[in-house]
Amino acid sequence: MDEDLDRGEIILQELFALNPHESLDNLMKRTKALGAKFMIAAVEKMREGKVEYLPYPDVPATYYSFPTLSDVKEFRRRGKRIL
């Protein structure tokens, strides 16, 4: 872990498929479950001394705030739904 946003070495990383028909609620639940699984696996690797760090890609940090009212209106205009 590093004090800067999107910096520091990576312990675990996994790609997962996005379902275009999945609700935001379900996606959030699914990624939180994956995060919990990874946290346990990372602690296990550290405890066993088997961590192999991956370098963080040298790209600018990104931060996405909560959507504004206009973002939500545009999202709905496109026929999407949050829940």
Side-chain angles (χ1 to χ4, degrees):
M1 185 176 283
D2 191 288
E3 60 193 32
D4 294 324
L5 184 64
D6 289 345
R7 290 285 170 237
E9 295 171 315
I10 299 168
I11 295 175
L12 294 170
Q13 185 177 47
E14 180 179 305
L15 292 175
F16 64 94
L18 291 175
N19 178 348
H21 304 291
E22 183 175 33
S23 70
L24 177 60
D25 182 56
N26 194 60
L27 176 62
M28 289 173 67
K29 288 177 184 174
R30 190 161 60 98
T31 55
K32 287 182 185 297
L34 282 171
K37 178 182 99 173
F38 269 40
M39 184 63 71
I40 292 167
V43 169
E44 291 285 326
K45 283 181 173 279
M46 285 188 270
R47 185 172 30 173
E48 296 168 1
K50 296 181 180 179
V51 176
E52 294 179 24
Y53 294 100
L54 303 169
Y56 197 90
D58 190 23
V59 295
T62 55
Y63 174 78
Y64 297 97
S65 63
F66 282 97
T68 64
L69 182 57
S70 63
D71 294 332
V72 173
K73 287 179 180 177
E74 176 62 18
F75 186 76
R76 289 182 178 154
R77 188 191 68 74
R78 292 180 182 188
K80 305 292 183 179
R81 64 187 188 94
I82 294 176
L83 292 176

